[in-house]
Every structure is written in structure tokens, then in C-alpha cells.
Amino acid sequence: MTDVPADPSAAGGARDYRGTVFLPRTPFPMKGDLPKREPGWLERWERIGLWDRLRQQSAGREKFVLHDGPPYANGALHIGHALNKILKDVINRAAQMSGKDADYIPGWDCHGLPIEWKVEEEYRNPRGKYQGGRDKDAVPVLEFRAECRAYAAHWLDVQREEFRRLGVAGDWAGRYATMDFPSEAAIAGEIGKFLMNGSLYRGLRPVMWSPVEKTALAEAEVEYHDHKSAILYTGFPILKAGAEDLVGAEAVIWTTTPWTIPANRALAYGGEIDYALLVVDAVAEGVALVRPGQRFIVAEALIGAFAKEVGLAAFSVKRVLKGTELAGAIAAHPLRDWSGAQGGYRFDVPLLEGDFVTTEAGTGLVHMAPAHGEDDFRLTRAHGIAVPECVADDGTYTVQAPGFTGIHVFKAHEPVWAALTETGHLAGKGFVTHSYPHSWRSKKPVIFRATPQWFIAMDDGNQIRAKALEAIANTRFVPDMGRNRIGSMVAARPDWCISRQRAWGVPIAVFVEKKTGAVLRDQAVLDRICAAFAEEGADAWYRPGAAARFLGDGRNPDDYEQVMDIVDVWFESGSTHAFVLRDRGLPVPADLYLEGSDQHRGWFHSSLLESIGTNGFAPFKAILTHGFVLDEGGRKMSKSLGNVTAPQEVTQQYGADILRLWVMNSDTADDLRIGKTILGQQAELYRRIRNTLRWLLGNLDGFEESEILPHDQLPELERWVLHRLTELDARLRKAAADYDWNGVYPEIHGFCATDLSAFYFDIRKDSLYCDARDSHRRRAARTVLDALHRCLTAWLAPVMPFTAEEAWLARFPSETDSVHLRDFPVLPAAWRDDVLAAKWQRLREIRRSVTGALEKARGAGTIGSSLQAAPTLHLAPAEIELLPPAAWAELCITSDLMLSATPPPEAAFTVEGVAGAATEFALAPGGKCERCWKVLPEVGQSAAHPTLCRRCEAVVEAAA
């Protein structure tokens, strides 16, 4: 056998020591490739029955219920949906991993006008399946409802898969929908509770009405946009007054709704307002509406604005009077003598005191159209004035608006102006652009219109308003400003109008006796209705013979009106607590309701009123709101601007974990911004976190439990890292308890990037790569890496469920296990060490003096690596014992370091803000170890391994 020299260099070659270094090894790839990998994780979780196993594993734990506010099953998800569901999912997952049973039932809102609208669009579409040849009103109601149900079912399935693709965990198989038969029965039952307790009544009151959609609207269904409205000033001639000089004068009003003039039945004044009786002396050139000699009554404070608007060149104020002097005055309608009305407006118009009249705008006098304003209705009804129905459901005038019948109210300003011009009472006209209510579905302007509707009383014997305000005071709001917002809405709101004049929804399944107008309150009838709905759905109400079936024996269906209005969809979604939570054994009230901030007037509001009315308490313990999503420039997203970010596109390009990271790196209490640049930034943050996990996994290769060292045997640096874990653990658990996640994941990212990658990993890679496999220092580092991996994978699991699962199984391969079956690790109290943390904060400050000096030398080309340096660190005598020189060299990643308590030379490097520390740069003497790259005098002293330092020589020899 030929002899082989111990040192290959003796045979003329340099030895390669790379195989003796413990370099990281892991199957966890550097590139996430999330769009391709994430669907596979979803399939795996489905295959192993993850959701059902979580429920079984959690049996007996404290329940945590985040009740899902139902999105509308109408179209693909938008970025707001993604924000909402991701935030819910993070909170649910964190609650589950905090030791609770977080059973989440996702749901959908399926009834209502938007779906009807889409089906009707298909009817009207000349390219649709009916070639535009279908009239909705001619379609049998059950057939129309079936089409609406099919439409909602399709989009429910689409949205469910899109939510699952975002990584949202929940009982998708057991989801709820308001159109499920049991749901429809429960909704009818909730209406029945208001029927039986007396709070449900039918009455005539002004409600917001959509002429396009021909239905009443809730406040939550209305949005405000700029709108160009016609205006007018018109005078009501005084026929009778306490003071003779007022008779013949014209009480002037200003309105932005000229179409309401035919419906006028009174005027309102403020009792404490000062009014002026003025005479027109001259009019401006070109003004034809007002005439010299006319006498007007206007608020004194508004004379200047009035004169300018109507073109008064000169006028005289005859006297000033208090509004109380107008009490008992009677005026004529300004259309009283109009030839086109054939005497239709020859009725008296009384002047009434109104506490709502101000001098902020107009004339200080307000015209009252009882059917078209809440104040108008309340004041006129209090004085026994009848409410005319001048406007039909399509927005056209009825016969009760003589001379205007058939004209649409939004086209009425020209005819009204012309009629008032003929009578000589039009003082001014024009246009104004102002904020005006629009239907959020049709985007068309709405009107106030008094119609017979079904209401739930707010202030009857059940005291829903008072109880709701008390419940609000006892509810936790995140952020707290939501309390005042919903509180002010509840305090000021009118009775709840719950009826809609449509076909797709749950009917207000009640009967009214035709002879007396009394609502039938019979629990047996209600029970029959609910039982039928549970078996057949609400379609049972529309089937032939329904009235006889539900009224039962002993009542003639011909004697009763079967109400065909459907219930407001906000009532439906507001009653979900009744059939989603209690019926499934989940606690009521729920721990949390979470939606966008607009839901203070929407779902939060209706849920509160519905539950207060039926249960006497709120359905939630806490409410959390988030903002809206804008583009990168802070603009609202719109297709026309081309600035829409669709969640489907984000998952296809980046992956769901990136989108989820964007949510949790944002302050969700405010409006969020998203776009290509922001998503690119999130992808970079993700890459850093992924690299941290990869480094951990690589350096835990082959790790065994027997390597773990007790806490008291760990070096200070390792104990400091464990202390940092306790700080993050406390931060995360507090967020889970308070539902306030703002800043939590940016802090975890900062820990990975700054504390670990740029500090701890950088320092310990020498030991991990080059120390002996079982050295104390290497075992200590791997003990900490084990804790870091377990903590980070668990902490990241709620926000990055796909990546956390991959990082967990890369270390602990299993066909059935999952990181999502774990709880957050419980960290030993001994790891918390605030004194040590304070010391290491100072050590890191001092370290900046050394690393700054090294960077300066690197910039000058003096060194390429910090291991080529052996600086001197000057410290104050009181800090010279903080660490020994070898530990400082390790901390600063230099080959050697000297400490000095003497004053530093003037040229020593210092860092502003770091007092008491200065560094003298010096090159490290000796040769470079080919294995660890440290520059040491001892390199070259070994005959067997002349290119190694003593440590590396020992490691290589021990492994030989």
C-alpha cells in the first residue's frame, strides 16, 4: 500500500478544508414561489382534515367567537373583502394558538336589491339569454326568486374558493347563508318576535326612496356624491297675520328641491329669529323676477345674501320682528292662482314654529312638504295637517300634484319655475352643486318620500333606543372612537323602516285584518309560517293558497291582507346571531364583530337594534373596525382610473402570504394603501423573513434534543436573545387579547432583520460553522436557534400560514402534522431578564463605535473584512469590565480586540450620541486561517496544518 502523507501540501498541493465546515443545509428553498406552492398546502390541509382536527383538539377549551359579518354574494371579491377576511383570519388563528377554541363560521348575505338588479339586467340585455325580451313584472314571482337564488349560489361558491385561496381558515362546509331555508325561517321568526312584542307597526312616514329601484332604502344603502340641483326662491303671500303690515307681504323660502313645491302644506319659522319686513326699491339690471314695491319677509341675518341672489339693487327695511310674531299667520300657496292647476292649490298654508329652523342658509323660513322630509312630516303631523301623496314610486307626480301629473320630479324644476313665474311669486332660480344622497347600487339620486312602510319602534315600551345606548356604553370598541360614532347615530335615528317593495328576500310574513287595519298577532300562525319556511324556504309565502294555509281553520283569508313586502336586508344580516351562533352551540354574545368603519351605520347598527329588540342585550362584546383600501396615491380605486388592485391578481403574481403580510404591516384602523410599489416592498420584507427562517433551518441541520443546554449555562448573548423572545411573546399575546395588531408584525420583522440577521446570526455564524460539533458555544447557539424556530414559525403562522407550515415541516417532516395544530409556545419566566437587556442595549451602542471604525477602514480600502482588524476600544473605567476582550472581539466580529481605560487619542473614531466609547483602528497581526478566516499570530505554527488556527486544527484533528 502506498503511503499517503498526512499533509497534502507535502505532496505539493494545498489542503481543502471546506468539507470540515458545518455549513447550513436545509430543503427549505430560498425562493418562496408562493403562487405555485400555496394551492398545494390548501389541498394538504383539506386532505388531513385540519379544520375538523382543530375542533376535536379544542374540545373543552374556552370558546372564542368572531361572528362573520356576511359579504354580499354578488361578484368576485375585491381588495376590501381580502383586507376584511385576512384580518379576521389572523385574529381567529391567534386566538386558537392562544389556547382557545376559535370556531369560525363564514357566511353570506344573499337577498336583496343588488341581486334583483343583476337578474333584471340580464332580462334587459339584448345580448343576454333572453335577448332583452323579458319584463320582470311579467315573470312569475317564484320563477324570478329562483333565478335570484341561482345567481347568489353561483357567486357564493366563487367567493368561497377565493377566500380559501387567501388562506382563510373556517368551517367552509358548514358556512351560513341568509337564503338557506333554516336561515329564512329564523329571520321570519325574528320579525315575529317584534310582531308579538308590539314594536312592529305599519305607518306612513318619509323614508329615503329610490325612484329607479322603486323601493325604500336604509341609511346604510345610501352614499353621498356631488349633484347639480336646481334651486328657487319663492314667496308665499301672507293672507292673515297678527300685524296688519304683514298681510300682503311674501314669506320667502329657498329650496334645493323645487319639485317639492306642489307638496307644500306649511311654512316653518324660528321663534327667536329676528325677521325683517323689507320693501324692494329697485332691482339690478336684467332682473325680471322681482319687482319694485314687492314686500318680503326674510331673516335679518340673511338679507345681504338674499338681496344678492335675487338681484335687489335697493331695498328698505320697514321693521324687524321676532319670529313669535308670525304665530297664527296664514299664507297662500304660491301656485294658488296658477292657471295650470285649476284651483288645485287653493288651500291655506299656516306658519308654524319649528325648532330646527336656523339662519345658516336660505331665508330663515322653511317650506314644509310633509311627505318629503322628516322635520316636515313631524311638524305638520303635530298640527293635524294631512300628508299628500304627490309622488309615485317611480318618481313621477300623481294626481295630487295638479298641473304636474306624470312629470318626473328630477325634471320638474323647469315646469315649477314656469308656473311660479306665471303667478309672479318666483323670486330667484338657478343651480347649485352640493352633496346629495344616491343609492349605492344604482348610483342614482334618491328622494324623501312618505309611503306606508313597516317600522320597528325605537321608543315604545320595549325602549330599544335606550337599551341600545346602554349596550354601546358597555361594549369595547377598537378604536374607541367608534363608540361615539354609532352612539350618535342610534341617539338621533328615527324608527327603523324594515320594509322593501321588492321580491327577492324574506317576506314580512304578517297578516293585516282588512276591516280594522289591525295586525294579526297569533303565535300559532307565526309557528306555522316558520315551520314551512324551514322546510320549503320563504317561497312558501308566495305559493297559491299560502294565506289559507298559514291562517288556519277559523279564519277567512279574504278578510286579511297578506303582506308582500320583503324585509330590509340589514334586518336579515342583523339577525344572523340568532341562527348562526346559538343554533350551533356557540356563545351569545359573540366575542367580536369586525368590519369596515362604514358598518357603524350598517351591520353593527342593525345587529345591535335587532338583538336588543329580541334579546335585550347586544350580540357582541367588542367591535373592531378597519379602514378602506386606496391606491398608492391615496385615491379611491375605480376601473375608470385604472388603479384597481384585485386580490386575485396579487395571489397569482406574489402569493397570498404577501397580501396577508401587507394587511398586517399596515395600520388597519386607518385607510390602507396598495399598489405595485407597496406590494414590491412587502415582497422584500417577506424575502427577509424567509431568509431568516432558512438560516435557522440550515443551522439546525441534524439538531437533537440532547444538544439543548440549560438556561443558566447559556452565554449572555444567548440569554439576551431569549429575553427578546419574551418581549415579543408578551407583545403578541397582548395583541391577541386586545385585537390591536398595529405594529406587531413590523416589530417581528425588525427582530428578524436587525436583532437576528444583522446581529446575532452575524456574530454566531463563526461558532456554528467552525466550532467543534459539540462545543459548548455551538450547542448554546443551537439551543437558541431551536427556540427561535419554534417561536417564529408559531408567531408567523396566523399571518403567513403557508410559509409557516413550510418552515415547520422542513424541520419536522410529517404526513399528518401541521404548525396550525400547535399553540403559541409558553416561554419560561426565567428567560425574562430586564437587567441583562439593559446591559446589552449599552453593549450594542458601544459596538457601533467599533463597527463604525471598521466601516471607515473598509471604505478606505485598508481592509476587506472585519476579521482583518484588531482595534483598541477605549471605555470609561466604570465600563471596562462589561465584557472581556475576547468577548468584545467576538461581538464585533474582529480577530482580536484590546480594551483600554485610558483617554482615547484625538483621532479615535466616535459615534455621535454614544458617549464614553472610542475606537482606534489597527490591523490584526498574523496569518489568515483558511478555515475560519480569522487573522491570528498562531496561524502557521502547526506542522500538520500550517494554514489553520489552533481552534480549527483541533476541530479538524478530532474529526479525522
Side-chain angles (χ1 to χ4, degrees):
M1 182 176 179
T2 306
D3 290 335
V4 178
D7 182 358
S9 62
R15 181 165 178 181
D16 186 351
Y17 292 105
R18 285 177 295 181
T20 70
V21 177
F22 303 112
L23 294 174
R25 290 195 307 171
T26 176
F28 188 78
M30 182 181 298
K31 187 178 180 182
D33 212 7
L34 298 176
K36 292 182 180 178
R37 289 200 181 104
E38 287 175 342
W41 293 116
L42 290 172
E43 292 172 6
R44 181 182 192 275
W45 294 334
E46 190 75 23
R47 186 172 66 252
I48 68 174
L50 179 59
W51 182 257
D52 291 337
R53 288 174 62 188
L54 278 170
R55 303 284 64 77
Q56 295 163 10
Q57 177 180 298
S58 304
R61 285 181 168 188
E62 177 188 355
K63 294 277 190 183
F64 173 79
V65 177
L66 191 168
H67 179 40
D68 190 31
Y72 202 68
N74 181 21
L77 299 183
H78 56 66
I79 196 68
H81 289 122
L83 161 64
N84 179 263
K85 274 294 198 292
I86 288 170
L87 188 55
K88 287 176 179 175
D89 190 53
V90 170
I91 288 173
N92 275 322
R93 289 179 183 273
Q96 180 71 39
M97 297 184 80
S98 296
K100 296 183 179 180
D101 178 8
D103 192 0
Y104 176 62
I105 315 296
W108 275 269
D109 197 354
C110 302
H111 291 132
L113 182 55
I115 287 173
E116 285 198 37
W117 199 251
K118 287 294 184 180
V119 172
E120 289 180 35
E121 279 183 354
E122 185 65 26
Y123 288 174
R124 295 188 293 266
N125 184 3
R127 297 184 180 180
K129 61 182 178 181
Y130 301 109
Q131 285 80 51
R134 255 202 159 186
D135 178 5
K136 181 252 181 179
D137 293 334
V139 177
V141 65
L142 288 173
E143 183 180 340
F144 180 74
R145 286 171 60 87
E147 292 206 56
C148 291
R149 180 176 292 276
Y151 181 92
H154 165 74
W155 284 112
L156 188 156
D157 289 340
V158 170
Q159 289 186 7
R160 173 167 48 191
E161 292 311 303
E162 289 178 335
F163 280 135
R164 289 186 68 249
R165 178 61 187 87
L166 294 174
V168 179
D171 187 358
W172 295 109
R175 96 290 176 276
Y176 78 87
T178 56
M179 70 177 182
D180 292 339
F181 291 175
S183 301
E184 292 184 332
I187 293 164
E190 292 298 292
I191 299 169
K193 291 178 182 178
F194 288 100
L195 171 69
M196 298 306 293
N197 69 24
S199 289
L200 180 69
Y201 71 92
R202 181 154 65 175
L204 179 71
R205 282 192 47 188
V207 294
M208 277 187 285
W209 183 271
S210 170
V212 172
E213 295 145 331
K214 299 180 185 179
T215 186
L217 299 178
E219 177 67 32
E221 298 171 296
V222 170
E223 57 190 17
Y224 288 80
H225 300 293
D226 283 348
H227 179 70
K228 184 179 180 181
S229 293
I231 65 165
L232 64 76
Y233 289 86
T234 190
F236 287 68
I238 301 295
L239 301 177
K240 175 185 173 184
E244 191 63 32
D245 62 345
L246 298 181
V247 175
E250 297 180 50
V252 184
I253 66 92
W254 169 80
T255 182
T256 59
T257 54
W259 61 266
T260 59
I261 292 297
N264 174 274
R265 292 300 182 270
L267 297 179
Y269 62 86
E272 294 304 312
I273 294 176
D274 290 324
Y275 291 92
L277 173 61
L278 61 86
V279 177
V280 179
D281 296 324
V283 298
E285 186 177 350
V287 171
L289 294 177
V290 293
R291 304 172 301 279
Q294 276 188 290
R295 292 184 295 145
F296 293 126
I297 301 171
V298 298
E300 183 184 29
L302 294 167
I303 290 176
F306 169 70
K308 180 180 178 181
E309 288 292 317
V310 303
L312 303 187
F315 59 88
S316 306
V317 175
K318 294 303 182 182
R319 70 182 180 98
V320 175
L321 57 142
K322 278 290 182 189
T324 50
E325 194 174 332
L326 297 173
I330 300 294
H333 196 287
L335 295 175
R336 186 185 190 96
D337 298 322
W338 178 42
S339 62
Q342 298 180 341
Y345 299 97
R346 299 192 68 81
F347 48 79
D348 291 344
V349 176
L351 275 70
L352 309 173
E353 183 172 357
D355 58 9
F356 51 84
V357 181
T358 70
T359 56
E360 291 181 5
T363 65
L365 294 162
V366 182
H367 104 87
M368 297 284 97
H372 304 296
E374 188 66 34
D375 290 331
D376 311 48
F377 179 84
R378 189 177 67 250
L379 182 64
T380 53
R381 286 297 294 269
H383 287 80
I385 297 172
V387 180
E389 294 187 41
C390 295
V391 180
D393 60 2
D394 63 355
T396 60
Y397 285 119
T398 68
V399 294
Q400 295 193 47
F404 302 101
T405 303
I407 297 173
H408 197 283
V409 294
F410 290 146
K411 298 179 180 179
H413 57 281
E414 292 284 0
V416 170
W417 284 346
L420 291 171
T421 300
E422 180 187 317
T423 63
H425 297 303
L426 183 65
K429 65 178 182 177
F431 293 93
V432 63
T433 299
H434 61 150
S435 181
Y436 191 86
H438 289 65
S439 166
W440 67 268
R441 299 183 185 96
S442 66
K443 309 302 180 186
K444 300 297 184 182
V446 303
I447 62 174
F448 274 94
R449 175 174 178 254
T451 58
Q453 300 288 343
W454 289 92
F455 296 90
I456 290 174
M458 294 292 293
D459 302 302
D460 65 351
N462 292 317
Q463 296 184 308
I464 292 176
R465 188 192 314 277
K467 292 176 182 176
L469 290 172
E470 182 180 357
I472 289 168
N474 295 323
T475 297
R476 183 177 173 200
F477 287 84
V478 183
D480 193 63
M481 69 180 68
R483 184 188 317 279
N484 293 334
R485 186 172 183 190
I486 191 172
S488 62
M489 292 175 179
V490 170
R493 66 158 298 130
D495 287 352
W496 186 4
C497 176
I498 66 164
S499 52
R500 298 292 182 266
Q501 291 66 48
R502 304 299 294 185
W504 174 230
V506 176
I508 299 177
V510 299
F511 293 94
V512 178
E513 190 174 21
K514 293 178 180 177
K515 184 185 296 183
T516 65
V519 184
L520 178 64
R521 292 184 168 89
D522 186 325
Q523 189 63 49
V525 172
L526 181 61
D527 290 344
R528 282 194 289 272
I529 293 169
C530 291
F533 283 17
E535 291 295 321
E536 309 163 34
D539 282 358
W541 188 251
Y542 300 92
R543 294 199 170 101
R549 173 188 182 185
F550 296 133
L551 286 167
D553 297 337
R555 288 194 178 96
N556 183 352
D558 292 337
D559 295 337
Y560 291 88
E561 173 198 351
Q562 181 184 356
V563 173
M564 302 308 283
D565 287 352
I566 64 167
V567 74
D568 173 19
V569 290
W570 291 105
F571 182 95
E572 288 193 16
S573 61
S575 63
T576 54
H577 62 87
F579 56 87
V580 176
L581 302 182
R582 188 179 288 109
D583 288 356
R584 300 178 189 235
L586 298 175
V588 179
D591 293 282
L592 183 64
Y593 275 33
L594 189 170
E595 301 298 331
S597 56
D598 58 330
Q599 295 307 312
H600 289 114
R601 67 171 184 157
W603 188 58
F604 301 147
H605 197 127
S606 63
S607 297
L608 174 65
L609 299 185
E610 203 288 329
S611 182
I612 289 290
T614 55
N615 301 318
F617 56 81
F620 39 68
K621 297 177 184 176
I623 283 178
L624 187 152
T625 54
H626 58 74
F628 300 99
V629 184
L630 308 174
D631 73 2
E632 289 180 318
R635 298 174 301 174
K636 186 177 179 180
M637 292 187 185
S638 74
K639 291 180 180 178
S640 61
L641 291 175
N643 64 344
V644 173
T645 297
Q648 300 85 353
E649 295 173 0
V650 178
T651 55
Q652 289 171 9
Q653 181 176 356
Y654 294 99
D657 271 358
I658 302 297
L659 192 61
R660 295 172 68 98
L661 196 60
W662 162 74
V663 171
M664 301 312 294
N665 278 333
S666 304
D667 181 355
T668 56
D670 291 330
D671 289 342
L672 295 76
R673 298 188 181 192
I674 195 170
K676 291 182 180 179
T677 302
I678 290 172
L679 286 168
Q681 293 167 349
Q682 297 303 315
E684 178 61 21
L685 295 177
Y686 172 84
R687 185 188 64 79
R688 293 176 194 163
I689 293 173
R690 186 176 183 89
N691 284 347
T692 299
L693 294 171
R694 188 168 187 270
W695 199 90
L696 285 170
L697 288 164
N699 284 283
L700 284 167
D701 180 46
F703 180 83
E704 297 177 356
E705 296 287 320
S706 59
E707 289 184 52
I708 296 177
L709 292 175
H711 182 259
D712 60 2
Q713 293 182 25
L714 297 176
E716 279 192 7
L717 179 57
E718 274 62 35
R719 285 189 282 124
W720 170 79
V721 175
L722 297 182
H723 167 82
R724 286 288 290 123
L725 287 179
T726 67
E727 290 182 324
L728 290 168
D729 178 67
R731 179 85 163 88
L732 186 113
R733 291 181 184 276
K734 187 176 188 304
D738 295 348
Y739 316 126
D740 184 1
W741 290 86
N742 184 29
V744 172
Y745 282 98
E747 192 170 329
I748 290 175
H749 169 265
F751 172 70
C752 291
T754 305
D755 291 346
L756 296 183
S757 296
F759 183 64
Y760 179 67
F761 292 171
D762 210 22
I763 293 167
R764 280 297 183 241
K765 65 185 177 185
D766 172 72
S767 174
L768 289 164
Y769 296 176
C770 299
D771 277 0
R773 185 183 297 274
D774 60 350
S775 76
H776 184 277
R777 186 169 58 177
R778 189 170 186 273
R779 286 180 62 191
R782 279 164 58 96
T783 296
V784 168
L785 297 190
D786 172 59
L788 283 168
H789 176 265
R790 292 175 184 275
C791 286
L792 286 176
T793 50
W795 294 347
L796 292 171
V799 66
M800 294 162 50
F802 301 103
T803 302
E805 182 82 313
E806 184 184 6
W808 178 256
L809 294 176
R811 185 175 172 204
F812 303 113
S814 168
E815 288 299 315
T816 58
D817 193 19
S818 170
V819 70
H820 303 295
L821 292 170
R822 299 175 64 217
D823 288 346
F824 291 138
V826 177
L827 305 187
W831 287 10
R832 182 87 184 196
D833 192 336
D834 293 321
V835 173
L836 180 70
K839 174 182 176 180
W840 275 81
Q841 181 178 352
R842 177 57 180 163
L843 291 175
R844 292 183 74 179
E845 287 178 356
I846 295 171
R847 181 178 184 262
R848 290 170 56 203
S849 168
V850 179
T851 56
L854 299 178
E855 281 301 313
K856 184 178 179 181
R858 186 180 286 112
T862 307
I863 59 172
S865 163
S866 62
L867 290 174
Q868 293 174 264
T872 298
L873 175 60
H874 293 265
L875 294 175
E879 293 187 320
I880 204 72
E881 300 296 330
L882 280 174
L883 285 181
W888 271 115
E890 189 177 76
L891 186 63
C892 297
I893 316 178
T894 57
S895 291
D896 198 5
L897 185 143
M898 275 72 73
L899 287 176
S900 172
T902 61
E906 194 171 318
F909 183 86
T910 59
V911 175
E912 185 177 354
V914 181
T919 302
E920 276 187 275
F921 174 79
L923 289 169
K928 177 182 176 181
C929 174
E930 287 193 3
R931 185 169 178 273
C932 70
W933 296 2
K934 286 187 177 180
V935 177
L936 298 167
E938 65 200 47
V939 174
Q941 295 179 5
S942 167
H945 303 279
T947 60
L948 298 186
C949 66
R950 287 171 183 158
R951 173 191 62 165
C952 289
E953 178 185 15
V955 172
V956 169
E957 285 296 316

